[in-house]
Amino acid sequence: MKLKKLEAEIEEVQSLIEGTENKKEQLQEEQKEIISEMKKIGIEKLPYSYSSLQRFIDPKTMNIHYNKHYKGYVDKLNKALEKQKDNDLDLEEIIKSISRFNKTVRNNAGGAFNHALFWKMLTPKRQKIKGEILDKIIKDFGTYEEFKKQFIERAKLNFGSGWCWLVLTKSNRLKIVTTPNQDNPLMNIVKDGGYPLLGLDLWEHAYYLRYQNKRDEYIEKFFLVVNWEFVNTLYTSKTEKKLKEEELVREILSEGQKSMGCNTTQVKEINRLFSTNPQVKYKFMNTINSIMKSVFPEYWKEKDEYEPGSMSGIYDYGTKGRSVLNKLNTNYSSFCILLNDLNVFLKSKEKEQIIFPPNDKEKQMEQMERFSNYLFLLKDRIFNMETSKTLQEILKKLKETDERGERREDATVIELKKIFNTDKVEKIGGLGNEEDMISGVDAIIELDGVRKTAQIKPFSYTKDISDSEVMVFGASAPKKYKTDFIVFNNPSKTIVFKNNATKILDGNYVFPKDSEIKSV
Ligand code: MN
């Protein structure tokens, strides 16, 4: 609105310049002034009178808070920006890229932005919360009362000057956070931020005249004046914008994109991610399973309750029996290919790429949520056998892995013959083999005339985790099997464990040391 008006003024000045040659210099000066005025951050009008929020705050505080504190932030911000070369930005853009600016801009831009929001978040009219924001609060907190309780508790716990916020995180969850000083959750320097929907000023200047040391009372009364209509608008505009972005993503990806594939270093990183943060792995598994079910409904078979050991999954797709696609949900290379191809796209759209930071489990999970959302969104495109280069690349990898697995099992059979000192070791394996499907049997070892079953897994290394237990790292997709033995194999070692006290911890196998039979 403001921009339009100023543009019109510039135009007017422009036409005057054209009409009156002699006044040219003076008018150019005026034009400059208007432009510099346009670049200034404006002051938000208070949408009610100082005395209209008395249920919450007294007129004197409102007056000082608005006229002295808030206007002070805006003035100081504009002064600081004058010195800045690149000052043609709106306030929200400055906040989002605050790391580029100095401390003075950070404090005053925060103060200007926070208060501009805060005024609109209050209303003299008593309002009941309703609409999409209420649904979302119930979804994420259980009840509105529970949300209110948590918000009040969090605000009360905050020490010193700052703000308490309800934010919408990048993974589309509501969260209550506090920020120190005039920091805003949108600032790129704020860890665990988000898009602010509701904020409460916890600076003494906001309440001290009326409440003095009774800050808790100020915090509780805040809910008498919340402008839920505004909060709801903030929330829906954010989600609508997101929907539009998703629409765009869908359009672009349908044009087709070649696959980036994946290198060994990256695959190792994913392996590490899966074994150190099993939550991420389970989220990926569940995502892929749901997608498979919805993309290939005619090939999807549910687990048969009456058939012991039966597994749900994709069958008779292309080849008879259990499809290699069922391994996608636990395959590091597939994860990596999907991630790379998606990131190429995100980058081309100047969107934030999905990156799993090492050693930060919470951020990793946040990124996994984003990954999962994009996969769902793009499932019909990514998992289209005819047109998707990504899926073709994944299938190639899965088949390779499967063949390698076959070869590994062949090699393991030779090792097992040595370990048990018998020739009666027989490989079962292979996709679609009934016995393999039912109970995870890869090999049968006949010992003293008794058929014993074994599951064969690749692994990286083992480590003692206590005097009595050993952990096996790097085994793909650990789960419980009903076999007599679990055999681990890598190019330099084969280890056999009895499968009677097997545990899975943090996505890795753990065995009592005395379950180890032999290794070569
Ligand atoms: Mn304030």
Side-chain angles (χ1 to χ4, degrees):
M1 268 324 217
K2 192 184 158 203
L3 204 70
K4 275 263 153 63
K5 205 174 136 227
L6 286 163
E7 272 171 4
E9 277 180 47
I10 291 172
E11 234 168 65
E12 204 177 307
V13 172
Q14 199 80 49
S15 69
L16 283 171
I17 290 171
E18 280 156 15
T20 51
E21 272 301 312
N22 54 347
K23 279 189 175 176
K24 201 171 172 182
E25 244 171 62
Q26 187 197 336
L27 288 165
Q28 272 174 341
E29 205 48 48
E30 276 180 43
Q31 190 180 10
K32 253 189 222 161
E33 263 172 47
I34 289 170
I35 290 171
S36 90
E37 192 60 35
M38 195 165 95
K39 283 182 174 178
K40 272 190 188 168
I41 303 300
I43 292 182
E44 288 286 337
K45 235 186 124 224
L46 199 63
Y48 36 75
S49 71
Y50 303 131
S51 58
S52 56
L53 297 177
Q54 297 221 38
R55 270 174 293 152
F56 173 53
I57 206 76
D58 57 289
K60 197 172 173 194
T61 301
M62 273 315 283
N63 189 334
I64 297 170
H65 200 177
Y66 178 76
N67 284 304
K68 302 287 177 216
H69 294 281
Y70 168 56
K71 286 186 179 170
Y73 289 122
V74 178
D75 284 346
K76 281 182 211 147
L77 173 63
N78 281 319
K79 278 214 183 75
L81 288 178
E82 265 174 34
K83 292 179 202 149
Q84 203 95 23
K85 249 190 182 168
D86 172 25
N87 65 350
D88 194 12
L89 282 172
D90 77 13
L91 186 51
E92 189 168 322
E93 288 307 317
I94 293 172
I95 295 289
K96 282 179 181 166
S97 59
I98 202 72
S99 59
R100 296 165 43 204
F101 298 88
N102 62 31
K103 189 108 193 180
T104 313
V105 173
R106 173 171 166 182
N107 287 335
N108 291 298
F113 190 66
N114 291 345
H115 287 91
L117 277 174
F118 188 52
W119 310 136
K120 291 183 202 154
M121 286 164 175
L122 309 177
T123 176
K125 210 172 72 193
R126 263 182 203 271
Q127 281 187 14
K128 245 190 121 166
I129 179 169
K130 60 181 180 197
E132 288 92 334
I133 186 64
L134 178 61
D135 297 341
K136 182 66 177 162
I137 282 178
I138 290 171
K139 187 165 175 258
D140 287 1
F141 290 94
T143 61
Y144 167 70
E145 288 306 319
E146 180 58 29
F147 152 71
K148 194 170 139 185
K149 196 182 115 210
Q150 286 186 28
F151 189 97
I152 289 171
E153 270 170 18
R154 187 70 200 251
K156 284 180 182 174
L157 278 174
N158 188 71
F159 182 78
S161 298
W163 291 75
C164 186
W165 303 95
L166 172 68
V167 301
L168 185 66
T169 67
K170 278 186 188 145
S171 50
N172 200 32
R173 286 190 68 87
L174 293 179
K175 206 166 143 183
I176 298 161
V177 299
T178 53
T179 54
N181 308 316
Q182 292 295 358
D183 284 355
N184 184 282
L186 257 191
M187 287 180 172
N188 59 353
I189 44 156
V190 169
K191 207 175 163 265
D192 295 328
Y195 188 81
L197 301 175
L198 179 66
L200 174 60
D201 190 340
L202 295 173
W203 284 58
E204 282 191 352
H205 71 225
Y207 64 88
Y208 204 79
L209 282 181
R210 169 154 160 196
Y211 293 94
Q212 274 127 47
N213 60 338
K214 294 180 204 139
R215 195 182 70 146
D216 286 3
E217 209 177 299
Y218 162 77
I219 292 168
E220 281 156 20
K221 288 209 167 133
F222 170 55
F223 283 90
L224 295 174
V225 293
V226 171
N227 188 345
W228 285 112
E229 268 174 38
F230 178 68
V231 175
N232 194 46
T233 310
L234 281 181
Y235 173 68
T236 52
S237 70
K238 195 66 198 162
T239 45
E240 268 165 27
K241 200 171 147 208
K242 227 176 136 191
L243 279 180
K244 272 185 204 136
E245 276 181 11
E246 289 171 358
E247 197 57 50
L248 183 74
V249 170
R250 208 171 286 160
E251 246 171 55
I252 306 290
L253 266 190
S254 65
E255 290 166 11
Q257 180 183 304
K258 79 180 209 316
S259 177
M260 290 299 292
C262 209
N263 65 41
T264 340
T265 317
Q266 288 175 310
V267 177
K268 274 187 189 149
E269 276 166 22
I270 308 293
N271 184 333
R272 218 181 129 79
L273 174 70
F274 274 26
S275 60
T276 53
N277 193 348
Q279 239 195 315
V280 166
K281 185 174 69 184
Y282 296 137
K283 177 81 191 177
F284 180 68
M285 285 171 72
N286 289 336
T287 303
I288 295 295
N289 286 348
S290 315
I291 288 175
M292 291 291 153
K293 239 192 265 190
S294 92
V295 178
F296 303 107
E298 65 273 42
Y299 300 105
W300 183 268
K301 260 203 257 174
E302 278 303 336
K303 177 177 165 172
D304 184 349
E305 293 298 331
Y306 298 101
E307 199 189 317
S310 112
M311 288 159 85
S312 57
I314 295 173
Y315 289 83
D316 302 331
Y317 182 82
T319 49
K320 196 105 185 96
R322 194 167 164 82
S323 166
V324 70
L325 273 174
N326 294 303
K327 297 211 165 173
L328 203 162
N329 64 0
T330 52
N331 181 270
Y332 309 131
S333 296
S334 304
F335 183 100
C336 187
I337 292 165
L338 286 169
L339 186 64
N340 279 355
D341 288 357
L342 185 58
N343 274 339
V344 168
F345 166 73
L346 291 175
K347 196 176 169 193
S348 75
K349 297 323 292 172
E350 287 177 4
K351 286 181 197 304
E352 199 194 331
Q353 297 187 49
I354 296 168
I355 290 159
F356 292 89
N359 309 324
D360 186 341
K361 290 193 180 178
E362 203 180 322
K363 276 263 160 60
Q364 289 171 350
M365 200 50 201
E366 232 177 80
Q367 294 293 304
M368 186 58 230
E369 296 273 356
R370 284 185 67 216
F371 191 26
S372 172
N373 288 343
Y374 274 116
L375 289 178
F376 262 112
L377 195 66
L378 303 166
K379 62 180 164 39
D380 296 318
R381 164 69 199 135
I382 295 176
F383 297 94
N384 182 321
M385 194 62 77
E386 277 78 46
T387 57
S388 170
K389 298 275 187 294
T390 303
L391 185 61
Q392 288 160 14
E393 182 70 24
I394 286 173
L395 270 171
K396 203 176 96 194
K397 263 275 147 6
L398 287 175
K399 279 179 186 149
E400 272 173 30
T401 311
D402 196 48
E403 280 160 19
R404 239 199 342 268
E406 289 262 332
R407 283 201 300 276
R408 194 188 63 240
E409 283 167 12
D410 286 338
T412 311
V413 165
I414 297 169
E415 299 300 313
L416 286 173
K417 285 179 181 170
K418 285 188 217 157
I419 289 173
F420 290 102
N421 195 22
T422 170
D423 258 349
K424 293 183 174 167
V425 180
E426 183 194 336
K427 196 185 88 168
I428 297 282
L431 288 166
N433 182 294
E434 216 181 332
E435 197 148 10
D436 179 39
M437 253 161 56
I438 290 167
S439 51
V441 176
D442 289 325
I444 306 270
I445 306 157
E446 202 178 307
L447 294 175
D448 303 324
V450 183
R451 278 163 66 92
K452 300 276 186 185
T453 54
Q455 160 69 212
I456 301 170
K457 292 252 155 206
F459 82 114
S460 320
Y461 61 97
T462 61
K463 198 177 163 187
D464 292 353
I465 53 166
S466 70
D467 287 342
S468 59
E469 284 181 316
V470 60
M471 189 179 258
V472 180
F473 289 87
S476 61
K479 61 180 176 205
K480 299 232 172 167
Y481 292 98
K482 288 176 181 163
T483 54
D484 299 298
F485 304 113
I486 299 186
V487 180
F488 295 97
N489 166 268
N490 69 27
S492 55
K493 202 169 184 183
T494 300
I495 314 176
V496 181
F497 287 98
K498 268 188 259 174
N499 188 22
N500 52 3
T502 310
K503 283 193 287 191
I504 294 169
L505 195 69
D506 294 338
N508 295 310
Y509 282 110
V510 173
F511 297 94
K513 280 187 180 173
D514 55 22
S515 292
E516 183 175 337
I517 295 189
K518 243 181 217 173
S519 58
V520 287

